[in-house]
Amino acid sequence: MDKDIKKEYSNGELTIVWKPKTCIHAAECVKALPQVYNPNKKPWIAIENASTEELKSQIAKCPSGALGYYMNDEQDAESETLETKVEVLENGPLLVYGTLKVTDKEGNTETKNKTTAFCRCGQSNNKPYCDGSHLSSNFIG
C-alpha cells in the first residue's frame, strides 16, 4: 500500500499538515484566507501571511480534513476537548466535527481532531471519506 503524501508548512509556532489525497477541493481554505492559500502558486500555502489564530480557525473548517496542524512547542491538547457534532450537507457528505477514531476496511486506525467529511453518495474512491465524487454523480440526498 502506498504511503499517503503529506506536506508540512511551518511559521515556527504552528505547522500546517496538508494531505492532498484527502482534499475534496471545496476551496473553504481559499475563500477564508486567500492571502495564504493560492492553488495557482508553488508552494500553494504561504503560511506567513496569516496569524496562528487565523490559521487554526480556518483549518478547523476544512470539510475534508485534508488540512490539519500541530503546535511546534507543545502537545496538542485540543483533541481531548473537541465537542462532537454531526452535520448533513445537502447533496454532499456527512460532516463530523470533533475527535474521532476511524478504522477503515483494512483495519487501519486514524485519529482525527477536526472536521471529517464522510461519503454519503457511495461513489468515493477514498471511502469512508468524501473525495467530491458526489458532484460528478449528481448525488441527491
Side-chain angles (χ1 to χ4, degrees):
M1 179 181 224
D2 291 343
K3 188 174 180 177
D4 287 337
I5 296 170
K6 181 168 66 169
K7 297 191 178 197
E8 296 188 354
Y9 306 83
S10 183
N11 66 5
E13 183 179 27
L14 170 137
T15 298
I16 294 176
V17 179
W18 178 52
K19 298 177 192 172
K21 187 175 179 182
T22 306
C23 186
I24 62 171
H25 307 289
E28 293 300 322
C29 54
V30 176
K31 291 178 210 166
L33 295 174
Q35 73 276 21
V36 173
Y37 303 97
N38 185 341
N40 297 320
K41 287 189 175 180
K42 298 273 187 224
W44 79 285
I45 297 177
I47 191 171
E48 67 279 1
N49 291 338
S51 72
T52 295
E53 289 307 312
E54 289 172 316
L55 294 165
K56 287 169 67 174
S57 176
Q58 178 281 308
I59 291 167
K61 297 173 186 164
C62 177
S64 67
L67 290 172
Y69 73 88
Y70 60 87
M71 300 305 293
N72 295 346
D73 293 335
E74 60 189 63
Q75 277 192 344
D76 187 359
E78 292 183 46
S79 64
E80 300 168 16
T81 61
L82 293 178
E83 177 185 1
T84 303
K85 298 184 288 185
V86 178
E87 178 183 0
V88 177
L89 290 187
E90 184 176 356
N91 305 326
L94 181 70
L95 297 183
V96 181
Y97 304 87
T99 302
L100 308 172
K101 186 176 266 187
V102 180
T103 304
D104 67 18
K105 65 183 177 183
E106 284 86 29
N108 301 310
T109 301
E110 181 177 9
T111 299
K112 303 271 197 169
N113 282 342
K114 53 198 218 111
T115 308
T116 305
F118 290 102
C119 177
R120 288 198 311 135
C121 73
Q123 302 302 312
S124 175
N125 290 312
N126 191 30
K127 290 182 185 100
Y129 308 109
C130 175
D131 69 358
S133 294
H134 57 276
L135 299 171
S136 59
S137 68
N138 296 319
F139 174 71
I140 306 293

